[in-house]
Amino acid sequence: MSAPRFYCPPPLPQGAHAELPPEAAHHASRVLRLRVGDAVQIFDGLGNALDATISTIQGKRVLLDNLQTCMGQQEPRLHILLAQAMSTSEKMDWVVQKATELGATEIAPVQTQRSVARLSGPRADKRAEHWRNVTVSACEQCGRNTLPQLHAPQELGTWLNEVRHAPDAKFILLPAAPATCKPSPNRKAASRC
């Protein structure tokens, strides 16, 4: 069985000792019931990871020692940006989790004409923070050391205008759909999506 993994915001500690962030410390000591001497791994979401050993558990504090750089999971060479139509919270959480586990580099929640969820302002910020926590948990579980970039929710048309002319961009859409992102032959500069 592999060592439990915990996200630690960058930069990772330099030296022989470190302390887990409060949420990770709670999870290690209260939920997983780890003990002094247990091996753990910490990562910073930027691709770096350290193996460590729990040296002290004091109340809400978990201290680590024997920190050693470890070779983490390699990121896919293919840059994948998943644009996902907004769905109900449980389904969207599942999509964000699985996209993270499968190696998506970026996740862009988009609001479409038929999207169930409509988010804006503080509600959108709250959901984005929740999805970020989902990506952290997914990385802890799957062994990935790099968090995907999570974009703020935006309208599909706005998102398409931003990425349509990106160099080397390729889109995978529904092949049988009546609409296309290619210029219409009937109109010189018009395009339909």
Side-chain angles (χ1 to χ4, degrees), residues 38-126:
D38 287 346
V40 297
Q41 189 178 90
I42 58 175
F43 68 101
D44 64 1
L46 301 175
N48 306 305
L50 298 173
D51 288 324
T53 305
I54 295 177
S55 62
T56 307
I57 299 175
Q58 296 175 334
K60 296 181 179 183
R61 295 181 68 203
V62 175
L63 305 177
L64 309 174
D65 64 5
N66 300 328
L67 277 74
Q68 299 175 357
T69 302
C70 68
M71 290 303 296
Q73 189 178 35
Q74 290 290 329
E75 283 292 304
R77 290 190 307 214
L78 185 63
H79 180 97
I80 298 173
L81 186 159
L82 172 66
Q84 174 63 42
M86 301 278 289
S87 59
T88 60
S89 60
E90 295 84 20
K91 289 179 185 175
M92 194 68 183
D93 290 356
W94 185 84
V95 168
V96 169
Q97 176 190 21
K98 296 307 172 193
T100 300
E101 291 171 354
L102 291 170
T105 312
E106 300 179 53
I107 302 170
V110 293
Q111 296 180 8
T112 65
Q113 183 179 8
R114 293 191 174 102
S115 289
V116 175
R118 294 278 175 191
L119 299 176
S120 61
R123 228 177 114 203
D125 295 340
K126 186 175 179 182

Side-chain angles (χ1 to χ4, degrees), residues 173-185:
L173 305 169
L174 181 62
T180 178
C181 285
K182 293 181 181 177
S184 173

Side-chain angles (χ1 to χ4, degrees), residues 110 154-166 171 181 189 191-193:
V110 293
Q154 57 185 323
E155 292 293 327
L156 177 62
T158 305
W159 179 81
L160 278 173
N161 285 333
E162 288 178 9
V163 299
R164 179 176 286 159
H165 302 291
F171 297 88
C181 285
S191 63
R192 299 171 8 221
C193 266

Side-chain angles (χ1 to χ4, degrees), residues 9-30:
L12 282 179
Q14 301 293 319
H17 306 288
E19 182 175 347
L20 284 179
E23 286 183 22
H26 171 78
H27 190 71
S29 64
R30 303 284 188 238

